[in-house]
């Protein structure tokens, strides 16, 4: 823990000199984390030396320190341990320095080294590939701060429920690895929360097979929801679409966003669609359109209207999907519009 009382202290002259010698932009550090410059002890040259050993040039070293100034407050021993740890999953030092350059804060969080190591080894045993584990280290580093027993407990809960819901032993490993690679933040949940959310779905008449289907479609994000929020969202959809419990269930299976998004988000998106002249009946027919933000919907409608496509009278399928899906649908409509109509009766002008 470092002091943040900046008023009564002066910047460490030796730290400043060492940073200048590395061409570090000190004004950036003052703006970002000035308290680092006030510490009595800093390991500027040592940390720069380790980074250079791994393969960083002078510009890269300066960039890393400017973006993550607290790097210089770690001891060389801590950073060498962290280096050894990340090398368990990195192909080589070239990949390691690239990751440090892109995600310095993840690398320079050294307080949980024992947990990090135990979790890396656990993920490798589980069958996760090293490139997936490096993605976790950089984009979801806090899952490594958990004691490994906690992560094991969550995985065991998922495995047990997968089998209880009718999943096969043969497919379980693939299912777990896919779920984890899509959403590693599942591991930040408690086993109790996972259990409660699965029970909520079963109480709302979803069959075991349908629950498994929802888990895969929602990429495990369902475990980050609260049953009260899901209940409100489902009730909102039921009232808007004026449907029975069974019909609502089919809508949710078609569009899990009805379960995932809060009432506020669903209201805003519905309002945006209605303003564009789209009817409730059309939305009920293609509920997946609610997965898109209002801005995306407006942009896509505008593009389709420019081609003379009237979204109010057609179905909403052409609005759906990812950016790539939309571009494909748009391209088909465009080429159909541009294609000349062939008249079989018209004479062909062929030169003799």
């Amino acid at each position: 823990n470092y002091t943040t009382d900046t008023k009564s202290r002066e910047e460490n002259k030796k730290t400043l000199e060492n940073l200048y010698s590395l061409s570090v932009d000190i004004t950036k550090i003052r703006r970002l984390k000035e308290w680092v410059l006030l510490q009595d002890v800093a390991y500027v040259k040592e940390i720069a030396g380790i980074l250079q050993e791994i393969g960083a040039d002078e510009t890269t070293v300066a960039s890393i320190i400017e973006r993550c100034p607290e790097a210089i407050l770690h001891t060389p021993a801590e950073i060498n341990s962290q280096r050894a740890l990340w090398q368990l999953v990195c192909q080589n030092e070239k990949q390691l320095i690239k990751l440090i350059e892109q995600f310095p804060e993840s690398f320079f969080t050294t307080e949980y080294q024992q947990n990090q190591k135990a979790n890396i080894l656990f993920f490798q045993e589980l069958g996760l590939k090293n490139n997936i584990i490096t993605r976790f280290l950089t984009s979801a580093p806090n899952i490594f701060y958990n004691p490994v027993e906690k992560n094991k407990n969550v995985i065991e809960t998922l495995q047990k429920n997968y089998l209880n819901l009718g999943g096969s032993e043969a497919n379980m490993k693939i299912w777990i690895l896919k779920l984890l690679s899509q959403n590693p933040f599942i591991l930040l949940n408690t086993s109790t929360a996972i259990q409660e959310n699965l029970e909520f779905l079963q109480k709302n008449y979803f069959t075991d097979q349908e629950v498994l289907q929802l888990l895969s479609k929602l990429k495990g994000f369902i475990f980050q929801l609260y049953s009260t929020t899901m209940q409100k969202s489902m009730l909102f959809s039921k009232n808007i679409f004026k449907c029975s419990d069974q019909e609502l269930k089919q809508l949710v299976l078609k569009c899990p966003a009805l379960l995932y998004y809060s009432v506020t988000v669903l209201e805003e998106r519905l309002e945006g669609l209605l303003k564009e002249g789209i009817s409730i009946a059309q939305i009920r027919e293609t509920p997946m359109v609610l997965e898109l933000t209002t801005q995306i919907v407006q942009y896509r409608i505008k593009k389709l209207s420019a081609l003379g496509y009237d979204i109010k009278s057609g179905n909403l399928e052409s609005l759906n999907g990812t950016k790539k899906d939309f571009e494909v649908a748009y391209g088909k409509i465009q080429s159909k519009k541009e294609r000349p109509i062939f008249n079989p009766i018209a004479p062909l002008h062929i030169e003799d």
Side-chain angles (χ1 to χ4, degrees):
N1 293 325
Y2 307 107
T3 179
T4 52
D5 177 15
T6 59
K7 288 176 186 173
S8 59
R9 305 190 62 191
E10 287 185 2
E11 291 179 350
N12 185 323
K13 286 189 173 64
K14 190 182 174 190
T15 301
L16 293 176
E17 283 167 16
N18 288 333
L19 289 171
Y20 278 126
S21 71
L22 291 168
S23 305
V24 172
D25 185 343
I26 293 169
T27 56
K28 282 186 182 176
I29 297 180
R30 285 195 182 111
R31 208 166 48 238
L32 189 67
K33 289 176 181 171
E34 191 190 16
W35 56 269
V36 170
L37 303 173
L38 309 178
Q39 304 310 312
D40 295 331
V41 180
Y43 302 92
V44 182
K45 286 184 174 177
E46 294 86 342
I47 302 309
I50 293 170
L51 292 172
Q52 284 162 345
E53 270 176 39
I54 302 171
D57 58 23
E58 190 179 298
T59 311
T60 304
V61 170
S63 167
I64 290 169
I65 294 173
E66 283 164 9
R67 285 163 52 228
C68 184
E70 60 269 43
I72 63 172
L73 302 179
H74 292 289
T75 66
E78 285 173 332
I79 298 311
N80 278 321
S81 295
Q82 194 74 337
R83 173 184 176 178
L85 204 56
W86 281 45
Q87 281 178 318
L88 292 172
V89 286
C90 284
Q91 293 170 354
N92 48 42
E93 292 198 323
K94 189 180 174 184
Q95 187 197 9
L96 175 59
I97 198 62
K98 194 176 175 186
L99 289 175
I100 298 171
E101 188 182 0
Q102 288 175 313
F103 307 95
E105 288 191 354
S106 297
F107 180 77
F108 288 106
T109 302
T110 62
E111 289 85 347
Y112 307 91
Q113 281 182 341
Q114 275 189 311
N115 286 354
Q116 283 187 47
K117 185 172 185 179
N119 280 308
I120 286 172
L121 297 174
F122 167 59
F123 291 143
Q124 286 176 327
E125 282 167 27
L126 202 60
L128 276 172
K129 290 182 179 171
N130 283 343
N131 64 323
I132 301 288
I133 300 173
T134 55
R135 181 157 61 80
F136 289 179
L137 275 169
T138 53
S139 59
N142 40 351
I143 68 169
F144 292 86
Y145 308 159
N146 287 336
V148 71
E149 292 72 26
K150 197 262 179 196
N151 286 339
K152 279 182 179 175
N153 198 354
V154 170
I155 296 294
E156 282 164 12
T157 302
L158 288 169
Q159 289 171 329
K160 184 183 75 180
N161 278 294
Y162 179 77
L163 295 174
N164 289 344
L165 291 166
S168 71
E169 192 87 49
N171 291 332
M172 182 174 70
K173 185 179 176 181
I174 296 165
W175 183 79
I176 286 284
L177 293 180
K178 188 178 179 185
L179 205 60
L180 266 181
S181 60
Q182 287 173 330
N183 179 18
F185 297 106
I186 292 171
L187 295 168
L188 298 180
N189 299 298
T190 62
S191 303
T192 316
I194 290 172
Q195 203 67 49
E196 281 174 3
N197 284 3
L198 292 174
E199 283 169 13
F200 167 81
L201 293 174
Q202 289 170 317
K203 281 176 194 166
N204 279 275
Y205 316 111
F206 288 94
T207 65
D208 289 353
Q209 197 55 45
E210 286 166 346
V211 172
L212 273 183
Q213 190 185 325
L214 275 175
L215 294 186
S216 298
K217 273 192 174 184
L218 280 167
K219 301 175 182 176
F221 285 109
I222 195 164
F223 300 130
Q224 286 157 249
L225 303 175
Y226 296 101
S227 53
T228 47
T229 316
M230 290 192 280
Q231 189 70 60
K232 284 175 187 171
S233 296
M234 284 178 74
L235 189 60
F236 172 78
S237 299
K238 188 179 179 181
N239 292 334
I240 286 291
F241 296 120
K242 297 180 172 54
C243 55
S244 66
D245 287 337
Q246 196 56 35
E247 287 168 332
L248 175 65
K249 191 178 83 164
Q250 292 311 314
L251 282 175
V252 169
L253 288 169
K254 234 178 168 183
C255 174
L258 296 176
L259 194 66
Y260 181 72
Y261 289 121
S262 66
V263 170
T264 315
V265 171
L266 292 172
E267 269 179 333
E268 184 204 319
R269 293 187 179 184
L270 266 167
E271 199 179 314
L273 289 163
L274 296 174
K275 274 183 183 172
E276 295 293 335
I278 292 164
S279 67
I280 290 286
Q282 282 177 293
I283 300 167
R284 181 172 169 169
E285 192 63 37
T286 316
M288 294 80 76
V289 77
L290 290 167
E291 291 172 2
L292 305 170
T293 65
T294 305
Q295 289 79 5
I296 291 172
V297 166
Q298 286 169 343
Y299 167 76
R300 292 183 181 183
I301 288 174
K302 199 175 175 183
K303 279 199 82 170
L304 290 170
S305 299
L307 293 179
Y309 186 87
D310 184 12
I311 203 76
K312 295 171 203 169
S313 55
N315 67 43
L316 305 181
E317 287 295 337
S318 48
L319 282 181
N320 268 346
T322 61
K323 187 181 178 183
K324 192 178 176 184
D325 295 334
F326 173 71
E327 292 302 335
V328 169
Y330 176 80
K332 283 179 183 173
I333 294 166
Q334 192 176 31
S335 60
K336 199 173 179 183
K337 187 175 184 291
E338 289 170 357
R339 196 182 300 135
I341 297 166
F342 173 63
N343 182 351
I345 300 165
L348 296 174
H349 299 289
I350 303 169
E351 291 179 11
D352 294 331

